[in-house]
Amino acid sequence: EGSTAPSGPPTCQLTGQAGPADAPSNLTVDIVQLTLVTLNWIPPATPNGVITKYNAKVNGELKPLLATTSPCNLTVYGHTNYTVSLQACTAVACGPLSYPVSFRTPIGAPGAPAIPMKESATSDGSSIVLKLTAPAHPNGPIHQY
C-alpha cells in the first residue's frame, strides 16, 4: 500500500477557450464631464482565455465598449439616471454580468431643439406662430426658450 508514481514522462495539454467563469469586479463610475463618465473595473479572476472585449449593459441595453482594459470612457446625457454593469468576453463566449452600479448625471445645457415649424400666419404675412419642440436630450429641466 503506497502511492505509485505516474508512468511515463509528464505531458502538457492545451485546453480550449470558454467564456469567463466570473464577472468583472469592483466596477466604479467617475463623472468626468456632463456627458462623459469613466468606468473602472478589475477583470474576471477566471477569464478562461484571452479577454477580447467588454460589453456594458446601460439601462437595460447591451453595448460593446471600445476598450479591452480598464478604464474606459462612456458617453452619457445630463440629468439622467443610469444603471451600468459589465461583462467580459473571449473569442468564444461572454461571461456573466457584474453587479450593477447606479448613478445620476448632473444638469447641463440642453441639446439643440428641432427646427421650429410654422403653425399659422396672418394673411398679410406680418406675423407668424411657430411651434417649438423640446430638444431630444434636454439634459435637465427647460425653464424657457
Side-chain angles (χ1 to χ4, degrees):
E1 274 179 60
S3 63
T4 59
S7 61
T11 61
C12 182
Q13 295 182 346
L14 182 64
T15 59
Q17 292 192 76
D22 53 340
S25 60
N26 292 5
L27 175 61
T28 61
V29 177
D30 296 317
I31 298 174
V32 178
Q33 298 174 359
L34 171 69
T35 59
L36 187 70
V37 298
T38 298
L39 305 177
N40 293 282
W41 67 88
I42 295 173
T46 311
N48 288 331
V50 176
I51 302 296
T52 57
K53 72 174 184 173
Y54 284 89
N55 293 322
K57 188 172 185 180
V58 181
N59 289 352
E61 183 182 346
L62 204 59
K63 302 177 179 188
L65 294 178
L66 299 178
T68 56
T69 58
S70 176
C72 177
N73 290 332
L74 183 66
T75 302
V76 293
Y77 295 109
H79 196 62
T80 304
N81 293 320
Y82 285 94
T83 300
V84 177
S85 55
L86 289 182
Q87 73 178 166
C89 302
T90 65
V92 177
C94 295
L97 287 163
S98 68
Y99 288 108
V101 173
S102 295
F103 62 97
R104 182 176 183 86
T105 53
I107 293 174
I115 297 171
M117 302 296 289
K118 182 174 85 171
E119 196 165 87
S120 63
T122 58
S123 59
D124 65 1
S126 62
S127 67
I128 64 171
V129 175
L130 295 177
K131 180 180 179 180
L132 299 176
T133 305
H137 302 290
N139 294 324
I142 305 263
H143 296 291
Q144 70 183 58
Y145 285 94

